[in-house]
Amino acid sequence: MTSNPPNTAAAPPVSVIMPVLNEERHLREAVRHILEQDYPGELEVVIALGPSTDRTDEIAAALVAEDPRVRTVPNPTGKTPAGLNAAIAASRHPVVVRVDGHGMLSPGYIATAVRLLEETGAANVGGIMHAEGENNWERAVAAAMTSRIGVGNAAFHTGGEAGEAETVYLGVFRREVLEQHGGYNEEFIRAQDWELNYRIRQAGGRIWFSPELLVSYRPRPTVRALARQYLQYGRWRRVVARYHAGSINPRYLAPPAAVVAIAAGLVAGALVSPWFLVVPGGYVAAICLGSLPAGKGLPAGARARIPLALATMHMSWGWGFLTSPRKLARKVIASRREPAGHQV
């Protein structure tokens, strides 16, 4: 959604940071959506390059050669929070915009975010993760990721009214806030956004969601890739819950509860009575029915794949949460004896 940009005199310089790894498919388009923003202030893009095995580095080098506003920094580990911290450290400006290598900023995104930072006094503002697919499977995943049966009531997935939030998608930060909190905790391979936003809120900072801010997101292209993604989401959300007591809420417990109930129903149905199969059968019926409104307007091939996408997301997230090893939390706790991540 576009917004009237601030006047040039009031527009602070902005740094856009982008950690990338194997993003040859979308990197050029993602950077184009940044450079074509209608923003009157100074703009720079800092791409943190992980050890990609595709043409990502070649494409990034071409982008640097084509536009002096684009720079790259190395991210030898390839881990997202390390790349974010490296890009923050190499950037210069008072407003820091996070974008992923497969995220497409809507027109006016930066201008709107800067305005919202000023109007709300927030430490971080963000909006909607607008999933969009390019084939039937990706369209099915996008529908699942933007439906309440898929992700619950998370506003940054499903939309809603502007207001304070627990977390937002990606984020547009005041640099002093990132410096105050030491950037991202590099032990959080996933859930680093949620964890950082939790620390900001605990320190009295405001996280602000606005549906005016829209980022198009490209879903994972295969069932296996989606399962791996959501397994890691569940695993690392459990780490956040262990490290930050009281940070969990019932929405996050629904997937692991579903995994336990379905597994118990299958075992009891096989060993005790077929009546217990009503639990897994009820789940299948629920996601099939729930996929009907989610798939409205999509091709038949995409609609048919939505139940599989939903089940993959729910079961993978729940299994990741249930099997998250305690050693991950120990590593995180050990890392917090020093400043988060590295100083930025």
Side-chain angles (χ1 to χ4, degrees):
M1 183 172 182
T2 58
S3 170
N4 293 328
N7 61 62
T8 304
V14 169
S15 297
V16 181
I17 59 170
M18 178 183 286
V20 299
L21 180 69
N22 294 326
E23 290 286 2
E24 68 173 4
R25 185 179 172 192
H26 301 299
L27 178 58
R28 177 170 286 279
E29 184 182 2
V31 172
R32 178 179 66 79
H33 278 75
I34 298 168
L35 298 177
E36 292 181 357
Q37 289 284 302
D38 184 14
Y39 185 71
E42 185 178 350
L43 185 70
E44 68 171 355
V45 181
V46 182
I47 303 172
L49 294 173
S52 296
T53 57
D54 62 8
R55 296 179 55 251
T56 296
D57 287 9
E58 178 185 338
I59 294 168
L63 291 167
V64 171
E66 293 164 9
D67 196 307
R69 294 175 291 176
V70 182
R71 294 185 289 125
T72 61
V73 294
N75 176 25
T77 69
K79 296 178 180 178
T80 298
L84 288 166
N85 283 342
I88 293 167
S91 65
R92 302 169 294 172
H93 297 324
V95 175
V96 179
V97 178
R98 177 185 171 175
V99 183
D100 286 341
H102 47 271
M104 314 297 161
L105 299 186
S106 57
Y109 181 94
I110 292 177
T112 302
V114 170
R115 172 176 60 79
L116 289 171
L117 282 174
E118 179 63 27
E119 290 178 355
T120 65
N124 177 20
V125 301
I128 296 175
M129 178 183 181
H130 182 61
E132 292 182 323
E134 297 180 339
N135 55 46
N136 281 336
W137 166 250
E138 292 179 2
R139 293 185 187 102
V141 176
M145 293 179 69
T146 54
S147 67
R148 290 188 178 276
I149 191 173
V151 294
N153 62 350
F156 70 87
H157 281 296
T158 61
E161 295 184 359
E164 291 193 44
E166 289 185 343
T167 192
V168 290
Y169 181 51
L170 301 177
V172 178
F173 299 84
R174 300 176 187 272
R175 175 178 292 277
E176 65 264 25
V177 172
L178 292 172
E179 292 175 344
Q180 174 188 349
H181 292 279
Y184 291 85
N185 188 325
E186 295 183 12
E187 292 297 324
F188 280 88
I189 307 306
R190 297 282 188 178
Q192 67 275 157
D193 292 309
W194 206 103
E195 195 276 337
L196 174 58
N197 285 322
Y198 183 85
R199 285 189 279 128
I200 291 172
R201 288 188 292 110
Q202 290 298 104
R206 173 182 289 182
I207 310 301
W208 190 265
F209 165 81
S210 174
E212 293 182 82
L213 299 173
L214 187 73
V215 182
S216 294
Y217 168 87
R218 300 297 187 256
R220 294 297 192 271
T222 65
V223 175
R224 177 176 292 183
L226 182 67
R228 186 165 55 245
Q229 177 188 21
Y230 272 78
L231 179 77
Q232 293 299 318
Y233 282 170
R235 170 174 287 186
W236 284 95
R237 189 61 188 82
R238 180 76 177 274
V239 176
V240 175
R242 286 177 180 141
Y243 180 66
H244 294 297
S247 67
I248 203 70
N249 65 50
R251 176 165 65 89
Y252 296 110
L253 299 178
V259 170
V260 171
I262 291 168
L266 290 171
V267 172
L271 300 179
V272 181
S273 167
W275 284 105
F276 286 101
L277 295 176
V278 71
V279 177
Y283 172 76
V284 172
I287 61 174
C288 288
L289 288 173
S291 71
L292 297 178
K296 187 177 180 180
L298 292 179
R303 294 198 304 271
R305 290 169 171 82
I306 294 175
L308 176 59
L310 288 169
T312 301
M313 291 162 55
H314 294 161
M315 296 299 102
S316 299
W317 203 103
W319 182 248
F321 189 93
L322 290 169
T323 60
S324 178
R326 298 196 68 86
K327 66 181 180 181
L328 292 178
R330 288 197 292 270
K331 289 180 181 179
V332 169
I333 291 170
S335 78
R336 297 299 292 158
R337 294 170 184 159
E338 301 295 334
H342 69 260
Q343 294 301 304
V344 298

